[in-house]
Amino acid sequence: MLRYAPAATQHTCCLIALFAMILFAPSILAQTQPIPQQPAQSKQIQTLAIVNGEQITRQQVANECMRRFGRETLEDIVNKFLVAQECQRTGIVITEKDVNDEIVKTAAKFGLSAEKYMHTICSRREITPDRFKNDVIWNQLALERLAESRIQVTPDEINQRMEYEFGERVQVRQIVFDSLQLANQVQQAAAANPDDFVRLAKQHSIDRNSASSGGLMWPIRRNSELPELEQLAFALQPGQVSRVIPVAETFVVLRCERKIPAEQVPQEQLPAVRERIIDMLTQDKLRMAAAQLFDRLQTETEIVNVMNDPVKSKQMPGVAALVNNRQILIRKVAEECITRFGTQMLDTEVNRTIMLQSMKQLGVQVNQQDIDTEIRRAATVVGYTKADGSVDMDRWLAFVTGGDQSKVDFYVEDEIWPTVALKKLVATDVAVTDEDLNKGFEANFGPRVDALAILLNDNRSAQKVWNMASAEPTADYFGRLAKQYSIDPATRNNFGEIPAIPRHGGQPALEAEAFRLRAGEISQVVQVGENFVILFCKGRTEPVVTDFDAVRRELHDDILEKKYRIAMANKFQSLRENAQIDNFLAGTSQPGAAAIREARDREAALPRTRR
């Protein structure tokens, strides 16, 4: 089992990862050696932040950046060096004008000015304009110039993509199995009575996303990445059930719902469409050519990774790598890490520090048993259990770390430890009531409304579509209206199909209207946020479970976890807002609740004449 104890200089809290419900491991790389202390430089700030009087140093942030992103950053530095060296060898020069012209061209594709595009992309990626130009655009242009002789888009490739985007499609439902024996049994039942396919999909499919809609999938297109599945789907006629087909490690049965005719692209739009497709295919080929180019350059270049070799790192302290005997220093990698990830990691360290301070005030700690219990809970929630019902810890950790054992510590630090810490901070505020249990039972196991939906973005359009639907209140016509008018891609592509609507699902107005309807009725126009929804009721589903006591424990645990998540989010927000934070890297300062109260008290104590 894991052995972990939080330490002030090592462990972090990543709020984004925390509230991803412990589903994915962070995208980080293997640990490296701690960074040797570097002498202070006059242009560098050595204290990057002060949180409620506690310092966070540059060295601390650099160490964390290097642990997580050191290998990635070193690889980027080496790769950029190799590309620059190859450009120099082949006489390719990428000028500042080339970079700026590329930005203008790319911005124009989105209908933006270069300034607006740069602001948008840099804000989204949280990088500086200089880094975007030097690390992204320069590399892109350099690779294009180096690889352009290897890139050629053929007419056949253009035609195949055109057929994929605009050709005939097949709307199908699917049932996905992990057992061939069960797949064959269900396929025989579905083939004997195709009308049962929706019920069988909801009952047996392991693909929960499509199962909730009776197995309905997005339309299958030609020239997809699953040619055998594509061939089978196009061979079916509406209402026909397929044979069992293996797909990856699963088994799939399809039922054809409808054939969707090919779209005719207006003649005047064809040049623009072809240009877009050629550009897309060129970029795809460029990525492949770039990978091949890197393979060749790395094969032809002598690269020694010193930083991740304990023996070599002792022999060459301060050196990260040798590229054809040229040194890349750890200091350079560390500073590049701070440039790229310093803001993110500093914020992570600030969050961790705030929580540790709060835990100290309340006298609570996170121990190894807490960590192990939370990992087991996370694994159990997503079904990582063995045949005997015990948690399959090895398989779960392999999943969340992508099979890289070196990332287990990061998974614990970034997701498990913050979860446990916040749960301890809100433990006295969370409880599950009988009302919670009754609502949870009704929401999870009670009857639902089986409906079609059309989503529109303004009331006038909604009233127009409602009038058309009311004139011919049938499921088929309503589905065709959804295909034509719904602004939501899922309902548009699925002819209005949506998962059955439960009670207490978080949209009370829509739920109230849905449960008012009888089979064959069309709802009023319901405003949901900024959009407007029209429903066609196909009927009610049968309750899945009728014995409350049989699922009481499961419901309690599920509701408790959801309440914990809400309380944890609120608690963290409160801690963050009330903390006094001076962030010297970002150049921001937050006075904190205590400082604000003191200022108000001082102002209140002043005589009125001095205010």
Side-chain angles (χ1 to χ4, degrees):
M1 190 50 61
L2 304 171
R3 289 292 171 261
Y4 170 82
T9 59
Q10 291 183 336
H11 300 291
T12 61
C13 162
C14 180
L15 185 62
I16 294 176
L18 166 63
F19 295 114
M21 296 295 288
I22 311 182
L23 291 178
F24 303 98
S27 177
I28 48 183
L29 296 148
Q31 296 186 32
T32 62
Q33 297 298 315
I35 307 164
Q37 290 283 347
Q38 303 293 338
Q41 299 180 28
S42 58
K43 293 184 179 181
Q44 292 181 345
I45 304 170
Q46 297 307 307
T47 297
L48 296 187
I50 300 177
V51 182
N52 295 325
E54 185 173 340
Q55 292 187 24
I56 297 176
T57 67
R58 186 182 198 88
Q59 190 68 45
Q60 183 178 340
V61 173
N63 285 341
E64 287 300 326
C65 284
M66 285 291 283
R67 287 181 65 228
R68 297 159 187 278
F69 308 112
R71 181 182 293 180
E72 172 187 337
T73 302
L74 177 58
E75 288 177 356
D76 287 348
I77 291 173
V78 170
N79 287 337
K80 188 173 181 180
F81 175 82
L82 294 178
V83 172
Q85 193 176 55
E86 184 68 4
C87 284
Q88 185 177 19
R89 186 186 70 80
T90 55
I92 292 174
V93 177
I94 308 296
T95 66
E96 185 177 359
K97 183 179 183 302
D98 293 332
V99 171
N100 290 332
D101 288 347
E102 180 66 20
I103 291 171
V104 170
K105 184 176 76 172
T106 306
K109 292 180 181 179
F110 297 98
L112 300 174
S113 67
E115 293 76 14
K116 180 66 174 177
Y117 171 73
M118 284 290 289
H119 175 75
T120 301
I121 201 76
C122 291
S123 298
R124 187 176 301 166
R125 298 192 184 189
E126 297 184 344
I127 60 176
T128 64
D130 283 345
R131 185 186 156 205
F132 179 67
K133 288 182 177 183
N134 294 328
D135 291 351
V136 179
I137 301 299
W138 186 92
N139 268 338
Q140 173 189 323
L141 290 174
L143 286 171
E144 286 179 356
R145 300 276 180 87
L146 289 168
E148 61 187 0
S149 62
R150 301 176 176 87
I151 296 174
Q152 182 180 2
V153 177
T154 67
D156 283 347
E157 290 170 331
I158 297 173
N159 292 335
Q160 287 175 9
R161 184 66 196 188
M162 289 284 289
E163 188 177 30
Y164 174 83
E165 292 195 15
F166 304 107
E168 182 187 14
R169 288 162 289 161
V170 182
Q171 181 88 55
V172 300
R173 295 182 187 270
Q174 68 170 2
I175 310 177
V176 184
F177 306 88
D178 55 10
S179 163
L180 178 59
Q181 181 179 1
L182 179 60
N184 286 325
Q185 292 174 356
V186 175
Q187 189 276 340
Q188 292 174 11
N193 190 355
D195 290 341
D196 277 353
F197 198 94
V198 172
R199 178 183 61 80
L200 293 170
K202 292 180 178 180
Q203 182 178 355
H204 295 289
S205 184
I206 62 172
D207 179 42
R208 305 317 302 168
N209 291 328
S210 62
S212 63
S213 297
L216 197 67
M217 297 173 60
W218 284 51
I220 294 177
R221 303 167 182 264
R222 295 193 186 277
N223 306 314
S224 66
E225 295 181 358
L226 294 170
E228 190 174 356
L229 186 68
E230 170 194 322
Q231 183 178 5
L232 182 66
F234 276 93
L236 297 174
Q237 296 302 315
Q240 187 178 2
V241 175
S242 76
R243 59 181 172 83
V244 177
I245 179 174
V247 177
E249 298 180 354
T250 63
F251 304 93
V252 177
V253 177
L254 304 178
R255 187 186 81 176
C256 178
E257 294 296 295
R258 59 179 65 84
K259 298 287 184 74
I260 304 172
E263 298 178 37
Q264 295 300 320
V265 181
Q267 193 67 30
E268 65 273 12
Q269 295 180 14
L270 272 176
V273 170
R274 287 179 63 86
E275 182 182 354
R276 174 180 60 79
I277 287 175
I278 290 172
D279 183 62
M280 181 195 67
L281 293 174
T282 300
Q283 292 302 315
D284 289 344
K285 286 175 171 281
L286 174 63
R287 282 189 286 270
M288 295 178 62
Q292 294 169 357
L293 175 64
F294 276 134
D295 287 343
R296 180 176 68 80
L297 293 178
Q298 290 174 342
T299 300
E300 296 173 354
T301 306
E302 184 183 359
I303 302 173
V304 179
N305 190 325
V306 177
M307 188 171 67
N308 296 303
D309 187 320
V311 175
K312 288 186 173 65
S313 62
K314 288 182 179 179
Q315 295 172 347
M316 292 177 276
V319 176
L322 297 176
V323 182
N324 288 336
N325 289 322
R326 290 185 59 178
Q327 292 186 350
I328 296 177
L329 300 179
I330 287 181
R331 181 175 65 249
K332 176 179 175 61
V333 180
E335 285 305 314
E336 182 65 19
C337 272
I338 290 179
T339 299
R340 295 185 180 195
F341 307 107
T343 301
Q344 169 190 337
M345 284 310 307
L346 179 58
D347 197 55
T348 293
E349 286 295 293
V350 168
N351 294 340
R352 178 196 59 79
T353 300
I354 290 171
M355 284 203 294
L356 285 173
Q357 290 171 343
S358 182
M359 291 169 62
K360 185 176 181 180
Q361 289 175 358
L362 294 179
V364 297
Q365 293 181 338
V366 174
N367 58 40
Q368 185 60 44
Q369 183 177 353
D370 298 326
I371 294 292
D372 294 343
T373 299
E374 181 59 27
I375 294 176
R376 289 193 186 94
R377 187 205 64 78
T380 303
V381 166
V382 260
Y384 277 77
T385 54
K386 300 178 182 177
D388 61 2
S390 62
V391 178
D392 193 340
M393 189 71 74
D394 292 338
R395 195 160 64 93
W396 169 244
L397 291 177
F399 169 71
V400 295
T401 61
D404 187 346
Q405 285 296 314
S406 66
K407 296 180 182 178
V408 170
D409 283 348
F410 297 140
Y411 168 61
V412 172
E413 295 169 23
D414 290 348
E415 300 188 43
I416 298 300
W417 185 85
T419 299
V420 176
L422 282 170
K423 278 185 176 180
K424 293 211 167 193
L425 291 174
V426 301
T428 58
D429 303 326
V430 177
V432 177
T433 66
D434 288 340
E435 181 183 5
D436 294 331
L437 290 169
N438 290 331
K439 286 184 176 180
F441 181 76
E442 194 171 21
N444 286 279
F445 304 107
R448 303 184 177 199
V449 177
D450 192 7
L452 304 177
I454 302 174
L455 185 70
L456 300 127
N457 56 10
D458 66 88
N459 191 41
R460 177 178 294 183
S461 299
Q463 292 297 335
K464 172 186 171 182
V465 174
W466 184 88
N467 288 331
M468 288 189 289
S470 298
E472 188 179 338
T474 65
D476 181 68
Y477 183 60
F478 193 93
R480 282 186 276 134
L481 289 176
K483 174 64 178 175
Q484 184 175 357
Y485 292 104
S486 185
I487 63 170
D488 169 52
T491 53
R492 186 170 64 248
N493 283 290
N494 294 335
F495 290 82
E497 290 276 1
I498 58 172
I501 301 172
R503 293 190 187 275
H504 315 300
Q507 295 181 334
L510 188 67
E511 293 164 22
E513 180 65 10
F515 278 91
R516 183 189 64 79
L517 300 174
R518 291 178 295 182
E521 289 186 340
I522 294 174
S523 73
Q524 303 176 49
V525 176
V526 183
Q527 185 168 358
V528 178
E530 296 180 354
N531 296 316
F532 299 84
V533 179
I534 307 169
L535 299 175
F536 177 89
C537 179
K538 297 197 294 182
R540 301 281 181 95
T541 66
E542 292 296 324
V544 178
V545 176
T546 57
D547 185 357
F548 177 83
D549 291 334
V551 294
R552 183 186 181 95
R553 183 74 256 171
E554 177 186 346
L555 274 175
H556 178 277
D557 293 346
D558 180 61
I559 295 170
L560 181 64
E561 187 62 27
K562 289 175 179 175
K563 285 196 147 191
Y564 261 126
R565 293 288 161 175
I566 295 171
M568 289 155 64
N570 292 337
K571 181 65 174 180
F572 184 84
Q573 182 178 358
S574 175
L575 289 174
R576 180 83 191 201
E577 289 175 351
N578 290 327
Q580 182 172 347
I581 305 170
D582 296 309
N583 187 323
F584 303 115
L585 187 63
T588 60
S589 183
Q590 176 179 304
I596 292 173
R597 283 195 300 270
E598 289 178 8
R600 287 175 178 170
D601 290 344
R602 286 196 300 270
E603 183 180 359
L606 291 174
R608 288 185 177 275
T609 56
R610 294 184 58 190
R611 293 184 193 180

